[in-house]
Amino acid sequence: MVNGYSFPKEFSAQYTTISYDDLRVKYYDFSGVEHVDGKMIVNKEVALEVLSIFYELYLNKYAFNKIKLVEEYNASDELSMQDNNTSAFNYRILENGDKLSWHCFGLAIDINPLYNPYILGNELYPSTASKYVDRTKNFIGKIDYNDLAYKTFIKYGWKWGGDFVYSK
């Protein structure tokens, strides 16, 4: 539950046909095990599109380490990324401290972020991802131009952080 505010007990008692079980995404993990409990918050403007993207990835058994709300990590990006958790919404201020991240609006998704870290100059997020910085190496979960997640998101008009100029 997101601090008990997004789905309070009074609401669930009044609308018994809606539960957290209805608000989830199916996915496969790196062992090929199917999960039906993935949770992600995205902006309503892209919700159907994201659902379509994740459905395509699910049908192709694209692997995610896990998909949980950042809330389960006390809203800590670092802890969520260290756990290689795919997530979207989280209140985040960019490193320069004067702009909000697209994650604040539910308009950005980190996919397997330990394997696909955020690099800004000499800063690395998560801090434990140095093993995955060299993008010339082959390893499971790496997103590049040949990756199905990259191709699927691009097909829907999304941008990839690996193409950003000032950060990766």
Short mmCIF file of all heavy atoms in Angstrom, two decimals, residues 8-32:
data_model
loop_
_atom_site.label_atom_id
_atom_site.label_comp_id
_atom_site.label_asym_id
_atom_site.label_seq_id
_atom_site.Cartn_x
_atom_site.Cartn_y
_atom_site.Cartn_z
N PRO A 8 -7.19 3.58 0.63
CA PRO A 8 -7.52 3.46 2.05
C PRO A 8 -8.56 2.39 2.32
O PRO A 8 -9.31 2.00 1.44
CB PRO A 8 -8.05 4.86 2.40
CG PRO A 8 -8.48 5.44 1.11
CD PRO A 8 -7.61 4.82 0.04
N LYS A 9 -8.61 1.92 3.56
CA LYS A 9 -9.53 0.85 3.94
C LYS A 9 -10.98 1.22 3.67
O LYS A 9 -11.77 0.38 3.26
CB LYS A 9 -9.34 0.49 5.41
CG LYS A 9 -8.05 -0.23 5.68
CD LYS A 9 -7.90 -0.58 7.14
CE LYS A 9 -6.57 -1.28 7.34
NZ LYS A 9 -6.29 -1.59 8.72
N GLU A 10 -11.36 2.50 3.89
CA GLU A 10 -12.73 2.91 3.64
C GLU A 10 -13.09 2.71 2.17
O GLU A 10 -14.19 2.31 1.83
CB GLU A 10 -12.96 4.39 3.99
CG GLU A 10 -12.53 4.80 5.37
CD GLU A 10 -11.03 5.06 5.47
OE1 GLU A 10 -10.48 5.81 4.65
OE2 GLU A 10 -10.41 4.48 6.38
N PHE A 11 -12.15 3.00 1.28
CA PHE A 11 -12.38 2.85 -0.16
C PHE A 11 -12.56 1.39 -0.51
O PHE A 11 -13.49 1.03 -1.21
CB PHE A 11 -11.21 3.46 -0.94
CG PHE A 11 -11.37 3.35 -2.44
CD1 PHE A 11 -12.14 4.28 -3.12
CD2 PHE A 11 -10.78 2.32 -3.15
CE1 PHE A 11 -12.30 4.18 -4.50
CE2 PHE A 11 -10.93 2.23 -4.53
CZ PHE A 11 -11.70 3.16 -5.20
N SER A 12 -11.67 0.55 -0.02
CA SER A 12 -11.75 -0.87 -0.38
C SER A 12 -13.01 -1.51 0.19
O SER A 12 -13.56 -2.43 -0.41
CB SER A 12 -10.50 -1.63 0.08
OG SER A 12 -10.38 -1.57 1.47
N ALA A 13 -13.51 -1.02 1.32
CA ALA A 13 -14.75 -1.56 1.87
C ALA A 13 -15.94 -1.13 1.02
O ALA A 13 -16.89 -1.89 0.82
CB ALA A 13 -14.92 -1.09 3.31
N GLN A 14 -15.89 0.09 0.50
CA GLN A 14 -16.99 0.62 -0.31
C GLN A 14 -17.00 0.02 -1.71
O GLN A 14 -18.05 -0.24 -2.28
CB GLN A 14 -16.88 2.14 -0.40
CG GLN A 14 -18.05 2.79 -1.12
CD GLN A 14 -17.92 4.30 -1.13
OE1 GLN A 14 -16.98 4.87 -0.59
NE2 GLN A 14 -18.88 4.95 -1.77
N TYR A 15 -15.83 -0.19 -2.28
CA TYR A 15 -15.72 -0.71 -3.65
C TYR A 15 -15.00 -2.05 -3.61
O TYR A 15 -13.83 -2.17 -3.93
CB TYR A 15 -14.94 0.28 -4.52
CG TYR A 15 -15.61 1.62 -4.63
CD1 TYR A 15 -15.20 2.68 -3.84
CD2 TYR A 15 -16.68 1.80 -5.50
CE1 TYR A 15 -15.82 3.91 -3.93
CE2 TYR A 15 -17.31 3.03 -5.60
CZ TYR A 15 -16.87 4.09 -4.81
OH TYR A 15 -17.51 5.30 -4.90
N THR A 16 -15.72 -3.06 -3.23
CA THR A 16 -15.12 -4.37 -3.01
C THR A 16 -14.68 -5.05 -4.30
O THR A 16 -13.98 -6.05 -4.27
CB THR A 16 -16.08 -5.30 -2.25
OG1 THR A 16 -17.30 -5.38 -3.00
CG2 THR A 16 -16.35 -4.78 -0.85
N THR A 17 -15.09 -4.51 -5.46
CA THR A 17 -14.70 -5.15 -6.72
C THR A 17 -13.32 -4.71 -7.18
O THR A 17 -12.80 -5.23 -8.15
CB THR A 17 -15.72 -4.85 -7.84
OG1 THR A 17 -15.79 -3.43 -8.02
CG2 THR A 17 -17.09 -5.39 -7.49
N ILE A 18 -12.71 -3.75 -6.49
CA ILE A 18 -11.38 -3.27 -6.86
C ILE A 18 -10.42 -3.67 -5.75
O ILE A 18 -10.65 -3.39 -4.58
CB ILE A 18 -11.34 -1.74 -7.03
CG1 ILE A 18 -12.33 -1.31 -8.12
CG2 ILE A 18 -9.93 -1.28 -7.37
CD1 ILE A 18 -12.49 0.18 -8.22
N SER A 19 -9.35 -4.34 -6.12
CA SER A 19 -8.35 -4.72 -5.13
C SER A 19 -6.96 -4.54 -5.74
O SER A 19 -6.82 -4.33 -6.93
CB SER A 19 -8.55 -6.17 -4.70
OG SER A 19 -8.13 -7.04 -5.74
N TYR A 20 -5.96 -4.67 -4.90
CA TYR A 20 -4.60 -4.61 -5.41
C TYR A 20 -4.33 -5.70 -6.44
O TYR A 20 -3.51 -5.56 -7.32
CB TYR A 20 -3.57 -4.69 -4.28
CG TYR A 20 -3.14 -3.35 -3.76
CD1 TYR A 20 -3.13 -3.09 -2.40
CD2 TYR A 20 -2.75 -2.34 -4.62
CE1 TYR A 20 -2.75 -1.88 -1.91
CE2 TYR A 20 -2.36 -1.12 -4.14
CZ TYR A 20 -2.36 -0.88 -2.78
OH TYR A 20 -1.97 0.33 -2.30
N ASP A 21 -5.05 -6.82 -6.31
CA ASP A 21 -4.86 -7.90 -7.27
C ASP A 21 -5.26 -7.47 -8.68
O ASP A 21 -4.79 -8.02 -9.67
CB ASP A 21 -5.68 -9.13 -6.87
CG ASP A 21 -5.12 -9.79 -5.62
OD1 ASP A 21 -3.91 -9.63 -5.36
OD2 ASP A 21 -5.89 -10.44 -4.91
N ASP A 22 -6.17 -6.47 -8.79
CA ASP A 22 -6.58 -5.96 -10.10
C ASP A 22 -5.58 -4.96 -10.65
O ASP A 22 -5.63 -4.62 -11.82
CB ASP A 22 -7.94 -5.27 -9.99
CG ASP A 22 -9.04 -6.23 -9.58
OD1 ASP A 22 -9.01 -7.39 -10.03
OD2 ASP A 22 -9.92 -5.81 -8.81
N LEU A 23 -4.73 -4.46 -9.81
CA LEU A 23 -3.80 -3.39 -10.19
C LEU A 23 -2.39 -3.96 -10.24
O LEU A 23 -1.54 -3.64 -9.44
CB LEU A 23 -3.88 -2.25 -9.17
CG LEU A 23 -5.27 -1.69 -8.91
CD1 LEU A 23 -5.24 -0.69 -7.76
CD2 LEU A 23 -5.82 -1.04 -10.18
N ARG A 24 -2.13 -4.81 -11.22
CA ARG A 24 -0.82 -5.46 -11.29
C ARG A 24 -0.48 -5.79 -12.73
O ARG A 24 -1.31 -5.74 -13.61
CB ARG A 24 -0.79 -6.69 -10.42
CG ARG A 24 -2.02 -7.58 -10.64
CD ARG A 24 -1.68 -8.92 -11.14
NE ARG A 24 -2.79 -9.81 -11.21
CZ ARG A 24 -3.49 -10.04 -12.31
NH1 ARG A 24 -3.24 -9.38 -13.38
NH2 ARG A 24 -4.44 -10.93 -12.34
N VAL A 25 0.79 -6.12 -12.94
CA VAL A 25 1.27 -6.50 -14.26
C VAL A 25 1.91 -7.88 -14.17
O VAL A 25 2.55 -8.21 -13.17
CB VAL A 25 2.26 -5.44 -14.82
CG1 VAL A 25 3.51 -5.34 -13.98
CG2 VAL A 25 2.61 -5.71 -16.25
N LYS A 26 1.70 -8.69 -15.19
CA LYS A 26 2.32 -10.01 -15.24
C LYS A 26 3.70 -9.87 -15.87
O LYS A 26 3.90 -9.06 -16.76
CB LYS A 26 1.49 -10.98 -16.07
CG LYS A 26 0.14 -11.31 -15.50
CD LYS A 26 -0.59 -12.26 -16.43
CE LYS A 26 -1.95 -12.63 -15.91
NZ LYS A 26 -2.64 -13.54 -16.84
N TYR A 27 4.63 -10.71 -15.42
CA TYR A 27 5.97 -10.69 -16.00
C TYR A 27 6.68 -12.00 -15.71
O TYR A 27 6.24 -12.80 -14.88
CB TYR A 27 6.78 -9.51 -15.48
CG TYR A 27 7.16 -9.58 -14.01
CD1 TYR A 27 8.40 -10.05 -13.61
CD2 TYR A 27 6.28 -9.16 -13.01
CE1 TYR A 27 8.76 -10.12 -12.27
CE2 TYR A 27 6.61 -9.23 -11.67
CZ TYR A 27 7.86 -9.70 -11.30
OH TYR A 27 8.21 -9.76 -9.99
N TYR A 28 7.78 -12.20 -16.41
CA TYR A 28 8.65 -13.35 -16.17
C TYR A 28 9.94 -12.85 -15.55
O TYR A 28 10.43 -11.77 -15.89
CB TYR A 28 8.97 -14.08 -17.49
CG TYR A 28 7.79 -14.86 -18.02
CD1 TYR A 28 6.88 -14.28 -18.88
CD2 TYR A 28 7.58 -16.18 -17.63
CE1 TYR A 28 5.79 -14.99 -19.36
CE2 TYR A 28 6.50 -16.90 -18.10
CZ TYR A 28 5.60 -16.29 -18.97
OH TYR A 28 4.52 -17.00 -19.42
N ASP A 29 10.52 -13.65 -14.65
CA ASP A 29 11.80 -13.27 -14.06
C ASP A 29 12.94 -13.92 -14.85
O ASP A 29 12.71 -14.59 -15.85
CB ASP A 29 11.86 -13.59 -12.56
CG ASP A 29 11.81 -15.08 -12.25
OD1 ASP A 29 12.13 -15.92 -13.13
OD2 ASP A 29 11.48 -15.42 -11.10
N PHE A 30 14.16 -13.73 -14.40
CA PHE A 30 15.33 -14.22 -15.13
C PHE A 30 15.45 -15.74 -15.10
O PHE A 30 16.20 -16.30 -15.89
CB PHE A 30 16.61 -13.57 -14.61
CG PHE A 30 16.71 -12.11 -14.99
CD1 PHE A 30 16.54 -11.13 -14.04
CD2 PHE A 30 16.96 -11.74 -16.30
CE1 PHE A 30 16.62 -9.79 -14.40
CE2 PHE A 30 17.03 -10.41 -16.66
CZ PHE A 30 16.87 -9.43 -15.71
N SER A 31 14.70 -16.38 -14.23
CA SER A 31 14.69 -17.85 -14.21
C SER A 31 13.57 -18.42 -15.06
O SER A 31 13.38 -19.63 -15.11
CB SER A 31 14.52 -18.34 -12.77
OG SER A 31 15.59 -17.91 -11.98
N GLY A 32 12.79 -17.54 -15.71
CA GLY A 32 11.68 -17.99 -16.53
C GLY A 32 10.41 -18.24 -15.76
O GLY A 32 9.43 -18.76 -16.29
#
